[in-house]
Amino acid sequence: MEKTIPVVTKSHSYEIRIVTQGLANLLGEIQRVWSPRKIALITDENVGPLYAAKVQQQLSKGGFAVQLITIPAGEASKSWEFLEKIIQQLAAGHFSRHDGVLALGGGVVGDLAGLAASIYLRGIAFIQVPTSLLAQVDSSVGGKTAIDLPTGKNLVGTFYQPDLVLIDPAVLTTLKRRSLVEGYGEVVKCAALVGGNFWQLTGNIENYQAIRQAAAELIEASVRFKAQVVAADETESHQRQLLNFGHTLGHAVEQAAAGRLFHGEAVAIGLYQLSRLFERRHLTAAKTTAQIAVRLKAVGLPLSDPQLGTPAFYQALQHDKKISNQQLTLIYLKQIGQPDFYRRPLNQIITWLQQELLTTGK
Amino acid sequence: MEKTIPVVTKSHSYEIRIVTQGLANLLGEIQRVWSPRKIALITDENVGPLYAAKVQQQLSKGGFAVQLITIPAGEASKSWEFLEKIIQQLAAGHFSRHDGVLALGGGVVGDLAGLAASIYLRGIAFIQVPTSLLAQVDSSVGGKTAIDLPTGKNLVGTFYQPDLVLIDPAVLTTLKRRSLVEGYGEVVKCAALVGGNFWQLTGNIENYQAIRQAAAELIEASVRFKAQVVAADETESHQRQLLNFGHTLGHAVEQAAAGRLFHGEAVAIGLYQLSRLFERRHLTAAKTTAQIAVRLKAVGLPLSDPQLGTPAFYQALQHDKKISNQQLTLIYLKQIGQPDFYRRPLNQIITWLQQELLTTGK
């Protein structure tokens, strides 16, 4: 399979390429967009041992000078400390405005490397090669970069579009089951927003092995949708907020769970719980939530968590970065494929959640 | 005096307002572009005591909630440490995407506050109120933000346009002589690039007091020129490099002098020395350098420095961030008002400099 999806934003236009076994021809893919230069190959301690040596070999053969930068795997690397370390290494290696940064890894590597590329010398060239399903369908698409603060995730970052995103579905064979499944949480979110054939497609995923078999199709559908939303609203002033479906409750439960839940698992909980609440209010069509639940349960994604409705959960909700003037905007589905905005005072939403979670359980 | 200069860039359009006594009506100026919101008022230990209380009073009266953040004065504050501190305070104050950052101070405050505004929550609203001549004619215009690294100045930053730049020439009455004069170094640079009436105008500045008297005119001419260059090339891919006239040698001597020279003084040295070398090669018209020297000397700006041509000077030159593929681009004047590019291998330029500085002295 080989698909090219153009992304046209105000700041920069480029292509997302989905190429099975694309990593084996990474040199050719990079030569489509970059002349020979120095490349900082940023990866982590899980992905590096699997792929970095081969990538380095290929690129060196093509006349690129590769400097390998390996960070510890895991969310804790999305910090000031590692941002500063990467920048120091770029400076020590005398990287110029005409050199580049290549992110080889999951969302943590992509977010951190992208932020480094966007602020070093006020921005140098950047390429994403996402290796987790979550990064392939979500975080590598749309130019969001970030690190976390102690007070919350992704509070520091930039909008910075790469020169290329190369997605190789074949690398998913080395991805652990739980990581594969969490990425599918974001796929279900996209499919619910889009509806139609994409929603049908997720209906056929009856166990986690089926995710891998249908990966190329699922990635393509997710990326096409996301690329279109990002093109319409690069900096999330309106339409791009639709992608936050399930994320407000998801982020809060993720933060309350303090690392126990993966992001995609928290999103699954957010999708289901939010849909359930809106369906009880008849704002979401009957049986929508059941359809969502079937898809999430099929692959073993959670629908609830003990942290839902705890003080830590409400604490995190109150610091959601989408709050403005004490108003919160939730995204809900009128029905599958028909998302809409629901903007209310934060207090009102919290009262509603408290009542519902008490009345109906989790 | 009240002048409005529109700045139209690809990313964002806004106005630069030059208003004598504008600081006394800052509230009115801000209300032109911002609805009531939280404002982080970032200033330094020199400027804060002079103006922060009055600004805070005005803004509070207009329904803005002001959080004052004061940093130590001086280049050392353009660091990771203070960037992180500012961001921490924005997060602790629960600043949202709909709040704003206001920089009240010279170039250090503007560069640092602008970078913080550009990466906090992937960018929140930003206004510049520059209070030094250097910031008024140069650093506040064009959207460059930055911090320094141990290996060089401004190596980390973003291009991030504000919603408004308010320049009040009246605040120059509280500026120390040496700071006023260094700002004039950048004015002479602009005038030499533009030529014509602007160049004539600088011919009338026969002592440092005259800078203050003609400040409004000098600022307007500099800002109009810079705004036009930035509009044509926001991210310095080509034309904006013209603004680097005098800066390559200037940065190198500034870095070699390790804090002893102010930036505008180093630029003055760079302008004069570079022009002298190109005039000796007959690439710059005869007597151009003498005209530049007259203007710089009139206000007491230096034309040379003991650090010129030292190993530390060449060391700094070799790490200039404009070097690509071991080629360096110098900006020179064919004559006043006619700048051009001179791109050569770095080694060749260094050999040339070494010969000239040995042969003709400094």
Side-chain angles (χ1 to χ4, degrees):
Chain A
M1 172 175 171
E2 186 171 329
K3 300 275 180 178
T4 302
I5 298 165
V7 185
V8 181
T9 72
K10 210 172 123 186
S11 68
H12 188 53
S13 295
Y14 60 98
E15 290 177 348
I16 299 174
R17 302 252 308 147
I18 307 173
V19 184
T20 305
Q21 299 298 341
L23 205 58
N25 180 35
L26 185 59
L27 175 61
E29 294 291 334
I30 288 181
Q31 284 173 329
R32 293 163 65 106
V33 292
W34 281 358
S35 56
R37 64 187 69 192
K38 267 193 278 202
I39 295 180
L41 174 61
I42 303 183
T43 188
D44 71 19
E45 289 170 351
N46 287 342
V47 177
L50 294 171
Y51 301 113
K54 278 184 192 163
V55 165
Q56 220 166 341
Q57 242 170 11
Q58 274 189 64
L59 295 181
S60 301
K61 217 177 280 179
F64 292 88
V66 180
Q67 179 172 332
L68 182 66
I69 299 177
T70 305
I71 60 168
E75 187 76 22
S77 295
K78 278 177 64 175
S79 64
W80 283 108
E81 184 192 343
F82 283 98
L83 178 62
E84 197 177 342
K85 277 188 186 163
I86 289 173
I87 297 270
Q88 268 168 0
Q89 291 188 57
L90 294 175
H94 301 303
F95 274 68
S96 84
R97 290 177 183 168
H98 304 267
D99 296 321
V101 168
L102 194 154
L104 176 71
V108 168
V109 167
D111 284 2
L112 177 64
L115 180 53
S118 74
I119 64 173
Y120 179 68
L121 304 183
R122 300 197 183 92
I124 69 173
F126 179 50
I127 285 177
Q128 289 252 34
V129 183
T131 58
S132 72
L133 183 58
L134 191 72
Q136 291 184 338
V137 299
D138 189 46
S139 62
S140 75
V141 182
K144 281 191 181 179
T145 78
I147 57 172
D148 303 330
L149 294 182
T151 45
K153 280 181 68 176
N154 300 329
L155 294 188
V156 171
T158 50
F159 291 99
Y160 194 68
Q161 305 297 337
D163 289 338
L164 170 72
V165 179
L166 177 71
I167 299 172
D168 180 355
V171 303
L172 299 178
T173 52
T174 59
L175 196 66
K176 287 188 185 130
R177 174 174 170 173
R178 189 174 169 195
S179 297
L180 187 75
V181 167
E182 74 144 342
Y184 185 67
E186 289 281 359
V187 173
V188 172
K189 177 201 77 176
C190 287
L193 292 167
V194 173
N197 290 339
F198 189 4
W199 187 243
Q200 299 306 322
L201 178 61
T202 56
N204 302 333
I205 305 297
E206 293 178 346
N207 50 55
Y208 87 91
Q209 293 94 335
I211 300 171
R212 211 168 258 141
Q213 285 145 26
E217 272 177 292
L218 294 169
I219 293 167
E220 186 189 350
S222 302
V223 167
R224 280 199 192 280
F225 169 61
K226 191 161 179 190
Q228 166 213 319
V229 172
V230 167
D233 175 18
E234 183 178 5
T235 56
E236 197 168 324
S237 46
H238 187 65
Q239 201 194 332
R240 188 166 177 170
Q241 292 179 39
L242 293 177
L243 300 174
N244 292 328
F245 176 45
H247 278 60
T248 302
L249 302 190
H251 274 150
V253 76
E254 184 180 359
Q255 197 158 341
R260 181 173 42 77
L261 287 173
F262 281 11
H263 175 69
E265 293 167 350
V267 167
I269 294 166
L271 291 179
Y272 170 77
Q273 294 289 338
L274 183 121
S275 179
R276 188 172 73 87
L277 299 183
F278 276 84
E279 191 170 323
R280 274 178 55 86
R281 287 226 169 163
H282 307 292
L283 290 164
T284 292
K287 300 188 185 164
T288 302
T289 309
Q291 290 182 60
I292 292 173
V294 165
R295 283 160 175 78
L296 299 175
K297 278 201 282 195
V299 300
L301 277 164
L303 304 183
S304 188
D305 188 88
Q307 281 297 331
L308 258 182
T310 60
F313 170 82
Y314 288 114
Q315 173 78 9
L317 197 66
Q318 278 164 342
H319 294 150
D320 191 286
K321 64 177 183 286
K322 294 175 290 298
I323 292 167
S324 68
N325 294 328
Q326 290 304 305
Q327 303 260 324
L328 182 60
T329 302
L330 296 172
I331 308 302
Y332 74 103
L333 299 175
K334 292 200 260 187
Q335 58 183 60
I336 296 296
Q338 285 191 22
D340 208 346
F341 297 88
Y342 184 86
R343 185 168 171 79
R344 289 291 184 285
L346 179 64
N347 290 340
Q348 200 174 313
I349 287 176
I350 287 181
T351 306
W352 177 28
L353 286 176
Q354 285 170 332
Q355 287 170 347
E356 284 287 337
L357 294 175
L358 279 178
T359 318
T360 67
K362 304 170 185 176
Chain B
M1 174 177 169
E2 187 171 329
K3 300 275 181 179
T4 302
I5 298 165
V7 184
V8 181
T9 72
K10 209 172 123 185
S11 68
H12 188 51
S13 295
Y14 60 99
E15 289 175 349
I16 299 175
R17 303 252 307 148
I18 306 174
V19 184
T20 306
Q21 299 297 342
L23 205 59
N25 181 34
L26 184 60
L27 176 61
E29 294 292 336
I30 289 181
Q31 284 174 328
R32 295 163 64 106
V33 293
W34 281 358
S35 57
R37 65 187 68 193
K38 268 192 279 201
I39 295 180
L41 174 61
I42 303 183
T43 189
D44 71 21
E45 289 169 353
N46 288 342
V47 176
L50 295 172
Y51 301 113
K54 279 185 193 164
V55 165
Q56 221 167 338
Q57 242 170 12
Q58 276 189 62
L59 296 180
S60 300
K61 217 176 280 179
F64 292 89
V66 180
Q67 180 172 331
L68 182 67
I69 300 177
T70 305
I71 60 168
E75 187 77 22
S77 294
K78 279 176 64 175
S79 63
W80 283 108
E81 185 193 343
F82 283 97
L83 178 63
E84 197 177 342
K85 276 188 186 164
I86 289 173
I87 297 270
Q88 269 168 0
Q89 291 189 56
L90 295 175
H94 301 304
F95 274 68
S96 84
R97 290 178 183 168
H98 303 268
D99 296 321
V101 169
L102 193 155
L104 176 71
V108 168
V109 167
D111 284 3
L112 177 64
L115 180 53
S118 74
I119 64 173
Y120 179 68
L121 303 183
R122 299 196 183 94
I124 69 173
F126 179 48
I127 285 177
Q128 290 251 33
V129 183
T131 58
S132 72
L133 182 59
L134 191 72
Q136 292 185 337
V137 299
D138 189 48
S139 63
S140 74
V141 182
K144 282 191 180 178
T145 78
I147 56 172
D148 303 331
L149 294 183
T151 45
K153 279 182 68 176
N154 300 329
L155 294 187
V156 171
T158 51
F159 291 99
Y160 194 67
Q161 305 297 337
D163 287 339
L164 170 73
V165 179
L166 176 71
I167 300 173
D168 180 355
V171 303
L172 298 178
T173 53
T174 58
L175 197 65
K176 286 189 185 129
R177 173 173 171 174
R178 189 175 169 193
S179 297
L180 186 76
V181 166
E182 76 144 340
Y184 185 67
E186 290 282 358
V187 174
V188 172
K189 178 202 77 176
C190 286
L193 292 167
V194 173
N197 290 340
F198 190 4
W199 187 243
Q200 298 307 322
L201 179 60
T202 56
N204 301 332
I205 305 296
E206 293 178 345
N207 51 54
Y208 88 90
Q209 292 94 334
I211 300 171
R212 213 168 257 142
Q213 285 145 25
E217 272 178 291
L218 294 169
I219 294 166
E220 187 190 349
S222 302
V223 166
R224 280 201 193 279
F225 169 62
K226 191 161 179 191
Q228 165 213 319
V229 172
V230 167
D233 175 18
E234 184 178 3
T235 55
E236 197 168 323
S237 45
H238 186 65
Q239 202 195 330
R240 188 166 177 170
Q241 292 178 39
L242 292 178
L243 300 174
N244 292 327
F245 176 45
H247 277 61
T248 301
L249 302 191
H251 274 149
V253 76
E254 184 181 358
Q255 196 156 343
R260 181 173 42 76
L261 287 173
F262 281 10
H263 175 69
E265 293 167 350
V267 167
I269 294 165
L271 291 180
Y272 171 77
Q273 294 288 337
L274 183 120
S275 179
R276 190 171 71 87
L277 299 183
F278 277 83
E279 192 170 323
R280 274 178 57 85
R281 285 225 170 163
H282 308 291
L283 290 164
T284 292
K287 299 187 184 164
T288 302
T289 309
Q291 291 182 60
I292 292 173
V294 164
R295 283 160 174 78
L296 300 175
K297 277 201 281 194
V299 300
L301 278 165
L303 304 183
S304 188
D305 188 88
Q307 281 296 332
L308 259 182
T310 59
F313 169 83
Y314 289 114
Q315 174 77 9
L317 197 67
Q318 277 165 344
H319 294 149
D320 191 285
K321 64 178 183 285
K322 295 174 289 296
I323 293 168
S324 68
N325 294 327
Q326 291 303 304
Q327 303 259 324
L328 182 61
T329 302
L330 295 172
I331 309 302
Y332 73 103
L333 299 176
K334 292 200 261 185
Q335 59 183 58
I336 296 296
Q338 285 192 21
D340 208 346
F341 297 88
Y342 184 88
R343 186 170 170 78
R344 291 289 184 284
L346 178 65
N347 289 340
Q348 200 174 311
I349 286 177
I350 286 181
T351 306
W352 178 28
L353 286 175
Q354 284 170 332
Q355 286 170 348
E356 282 289 336
L357 294 175
L358 278 179
T359 317
T360 67
K362 303 171 186 174

